[in-house]
Amino acid sequence: MTTEEKLQHFFDASIQSASEEAEKMKKEHKEALDKLFEEHRAAMERQAGAQLQAESDRLKRDINKEVSARQLEFRRQYSARTEEIKSLLFAEVEDKLKKFKTSPEYFDYLEKIIRQALSFAGEDAITVYIDPSDEALLPRLAETLGINPSISREAWGGGMRAVIRSKNILIDNSFATLLDEARKEYIFTGGMADE
């Protein structure tokens, strides 16, 4: 082999070795870049997922907040309307009680509750009070019951009250007290008429 052939062979071998080395470096660099890209892509997906979850949680909180605010407003409206209906209902009841007081059945009712109070008192002294508006019924009650009910200084719309002082008992069958108790105990259920 001549020197020129040797040089050519050395040149070809060097070029081939350098090409293989360059190809190997290029492959390693590409693998490193691919690995770096995959890590970056995974990190960005995690970040996007976290942002999506955070935004989703924020939207859920906002929706729950809005729903709570609306529910509170609906409850307020419902409560106001319920009180309005309750007031109308009890105004109607009061009107019916006033009409009842003008009927003959009112005297029978008054006699009945006074008799019940007298029976409850038994042998104990009892003072029976009637409403000032029922003063006209006093003679008839005295004749029918054999007692003289007292006229109260306080008006309570009808009915009667009785006191058994020896036992510290108040029997309160006044319309005002009965209406007040009914108002406190009344629960408006609402709903459809056929429920």
Side-chain angles (χ1 to χ4, degrees):
M1 216 181 225
T2 65
T3 308
E4 213 166 283
E5 288 174 343
K6 285 182 185 178
L7 277 173
Q8 186 60 40
H9 178 66
F10 178 71
F11 177 76
D12 288 342
S14 295
I15 291 291
Q16 184 179 358
S17 174
S19 291
E20 287 174 1
E21 187 68 29
E23 193 61 38
K24 182 180 170 188
M25 286 175 65
K26 185 173 133 183
K27 183 179 176 185
E28 287 174 358
H29 186 67
K30 184 179 181 307
E31 287 173 358
L33 285 176
D34 285 346
K35 183 179 176 185
L36 189 62
F37 173 74
E38 284 301 317
E39 288 173 356
H40 180 71
R41 186 175 62 77
M44 294 309 286
E45 284 178 357
R46 281 193 305 274
Q47 184 180 359
Q51 284 178 338
L52 183 64
Q53 186 63 43
E55 186 65 19
S56 176
D57 290 346
R58 185 189 66 77
L59 286 173
K60 284 178 185 174
R61 282 191 307 273
D62 289 350
I63 288 169
N64 287 341
K65 190 174 165 182
E66 181 68 23
V67 166
S68 293
R70 295 236 175 143
Q71 283 178 334
L72 184 61
E73 181 59 29
F74 289 145
R75 282 189 194 117
R76 282 187 191 130
Q77 290 174 356
Y78 178 78
S79 180
R81 184 65 178 142
T82 299
E83 284 304 311
E84 182 182 332
I85 291 170
K86 189 175 173 181
S87 294
L88 291 171
L89 175 70
F90 279 96
E92 190 174 326
V93 169
E94 286 178 27
D95 286 343
K96 289 188 183 248
L97 283 174
K98 287 176 186 173
K99 288 178 186 170
F100 175 65
K101 279 189 68 171
T102 63
S103 73
E105 289 83 17
Y106 176 66
F107 179 83
D108 297 337
Y109 168 76
L110 203 53
E111 179 187 357
K112 176 184 161 196
I113 60 175
I114 292 173
R115 283 192 191 281
Q116 288 172 347
L118 293 171
S119 174
F120 179 79
E123 297 298 317
D124 294 317
I126 184 169
T127 305
V128 176
Y129 295 93
I130 61 171
D131 190 78
S133 64
D134 295 332
E135 189 172 0
L137 300 175
L138 193 58
R140 189 170 163 204
L141 285 169
E143 180 185 323
T144 305
L145 298 169
I147 64 161
N148 282 320
S150 300
I151 304 294
S152 174
R153 288 180 288 211
E154 178 187 346
W156 56 67
M160 74 89 187
R161 289 182 179 160
V163 176
I164 305 172
R165 294 197 195 298
S166 63
K167 294 183 179 177
N168 289 329
I169 294 177
L170 168 68
I171 301 171
D172 191 348
N173 285 320
S174 65
F175 286 177
T177 300
L178 295 173
L179 272 171
D180 189 45
E181 287 174 359
R183 272 190 191 95
K184 288 177 185 172
E185 293 174 10
Y186 182 77
I187 297 173
F188 182 78
T189 56
M192 301 294 286
D194 60 349
E195 287 184 332

